[in-house]
Amino acid sequence: MLKNSDWIILNSITYKIHSISDEKQMRLSIMKRLENLIDFDSASFYLASPFNEKELTEPVGIEYSLEDMNDYVSHFKNMDYSEGLMFTGKNIAYRESDLAEDEVRKNTDYYKAVYDVQGWHYSLHLNICYQEQFLGVMSFFRKKGKEDFRYEDIFVLDMLKDHLALRLYRERESKIHQKFSVSQCADQYHLSPKETMVLGYLIHDASAEEIAQELGISISTLRKHCNHLYQKMGISQRIQLYEMVDSNSVE
């Protein structure tokens, strides 16, 4: 069970969820604070796209590089055998080891491609939902050689899940009705300089041929930039850019 000092930390995390105005900073701050309650080696926190809840976007992490977090979305999310739990519409904290036995997990392509490469073995996840809408997922990982996460760790996340769900729901509602400049999008979604340039052309209705010519790249290379751009922003169609980006913003 939690000690009195643990409850004090838990209360401070709850306060941070509602008081830190910058949502991305809030996510990073509470993960760092959770290091005092949950033993983990790496952590990540993704949001669901406001336009497609099955698209994960805007990751922040601890001892988990942005490149690797984006690679998970690009190459490995569809291999993740726990992916289906994200879209049940339920707030739920769980250990991955509760879904499958160790020997089964270790022989999956997903484990070999992600866990083996990172040196992880155990993980703990919190799927965050509000009114059956999937809003995001926070995950914690332990290196090989350590014991599994405890049920007390699940309890800690259970104490936070409703607070996180309400905060992320309010953030999503504000994003749906808010437009960003190109530079704000670049910062918000960690776009590369080339992706930022492509976004600027796309939002001003330039054709693929015009963009490729201006940037001195092939159409196939442009498609790759567009795919990465859409993936990071959690969208699948160009028309969704007009809902997110202010074409009249001065860069």
Side-chain angles (χ1 to χ4, degrees), residues 179-192:
K179 286 191 174 185
F180 297 97
S181 68
V182 171
S183 60
Q184 286 173 326
C185 284
D187 180 62
Q188 183 81 7
Y189 298 103
H190 302 289
L191 304 184
S192 70

Side-chain angles (χ1 to χ4, degrees), residues 68-82:
D68 285 342
M69 288 189 288
N70 283 329
D71 279 347
Y72 166 78
V73 175
S74 303
H75 306 298
F76 306 122
K77 183 171 73 73
N78 293 335
M79 299 166 59
D80 188 346
Y81 38 80
S82 67

Side-chain angles (χ1 to χ4, degrees), residues 4 21 68 100 116 139 155 176 183 192 197 223 228 250:
N4 287 340
S21 58
D68 285 342
D116 271 344
S139 302
F155 176 79
I176 289 175
S183 60
S192 70
M197 294 175 68
R223 289 197 187 101
H228 291 156
V250 178

Side-chain angles (χ1 to χ4, degrees), residues 235-246:
I235 60 175
S236 57
Q237 302 176 53
R238 183 170 180 172
I239 193 172
Q240 291 172 310
L241 288 176
Y242 301 114
E243 300 175 28
M244 300 177 67
V245 187
D246 182 4

Side-chain angles (χ1 to χ4, degrees), residues 10-235:
L10 195 58
N11 286 335
S12 75
I13 294 173
T14 301
Y15 177 75
K16 287 177 181 292
I17 290 172
H18 297 290
S19 64
I20 297 178
S21 58
D22 183 273
E23 170 269 317
K24 187 174 291 186
Q25 184 59 42
M26 178 275 293
R27 287 187 284 142
L28 190 57
S29 177
I30 66 169
M31 285 195 297
K32 289 180 177 178
R33 196 76 171 110
L34 279 167
E35 288 183 290
N36 294 293
L37 297 177
I38 299 174
D39 176 27
F40 63 88
D41 296 297
S42 303
S44 64
F45 198 148
Y46 294 85
L47 298 182
S49 167
F51 302 98
N52 180 359
E53 69 174 23
K54 293 190 176 182
E55 293 291 337
L56 299 181
T57 187
E58 299 184 60
V60 294
I62 294 177
E63 297 300 322
Y64 194 3
S65 73
L66 181 61
E67 180 181 2
D68 285 342
M69 288 189 288
N70 283 329
D71 279 347
Y72 166 78
V73 175
S74 303
H75 306 298
F76 306 122
K77 183 171 73 73
N78 293 335
M79 299 166 59
D80 188 346
Y81 38 80
S82 67
E83 183 188 14
L85 282 176
M86 295 181 191
F87 313 120
T88 60
K90 297 178 181 178
N91 261 353
I92 184 172
Y94 64 93
R95 302 181 304 181
E96 194 155 319
S97 57
D98 291 327
L99 302 181
E101 295 180 356
D102 269 7
E103 289 307 312
V104 175
R105 292 175 56 239
K106 287 162 64 176
N107 286 314
T108 63
D109 291 337
Y110 175 64
Y111 184 96
K112 294 174 183 177
V114 177
Y115 281 64
D116 271 344
V117 170
Q118 297 288 346
W120 301 331
H121 184 60
Y122 291 114
S123 60
L124 172 70
H125 307 274
L126 175 63
N127 291 337
I128 304 166
C129 301
Y130 186 82
Q131 296 180 346
E132 299 188 349
Q133 298 178 59
F134 174 62
L135 300 172
V137 57
M138 180 165 54
S139 302
F140 303 91
F141 306 93
R142 281 184 180 170
K143 295 285 189 181
K144 294 178 180 180
K146 287 190 172 182
E147 294 184 353
D148 200 354
F149 289 92
R150 307 167 302 164
Y151 285 108
E152 287 87 347
D153 300 326
I154 294 177
F155 176 79
V156 167
L157 297 184
D158 279 338
M159 292 296 98
L160 299 174
K161 64 185 182 183
D162 290 337
H163 294 282
L164 282 167
L166 181 59
R167 172 65 191 270
L168 295 189
Y169 174 76
R170 288 173 173 169
E171 290 288 339
R172 168 181 281 191
E173 289 299 294
S174 67
K175 285 180 180 178
I176 289 175
H177 300 99
Q178 179 182 9
K179 286 191 174 185
F180 297 97
S181 68
V182 171
S183 60
Q184 286 173 326
C185 284
D187 180 62
Q188 183 81 7
Y189 298 103
H190 302 289
L191 304 184
S192 70
K194 188 72 74 174
E195 290 162 356
T196 303
M197 294 175 68
V198 170
L199 175 60
Y201 284 114
L202 289 173
I203 202 63
H204 287 99
D205 296 322
S207 68
E209 291 75 14
E210 290 171 335
I211 299 173
Q213 183 175 358
E214 286 291 330
L215 297 180
I217 59 178
S218 67
I219 294 293
S220 62
T221 299
L222 175 61
R223 289 197 187 101
K224 291 179 182 178
H225 287 310
C226 288
N227 287 338
H228 291 156
L229 168 68
Y230 287 3
Q231 187 178 84
K232 289 180 180 180
M233 296 181 69
I235 60 175

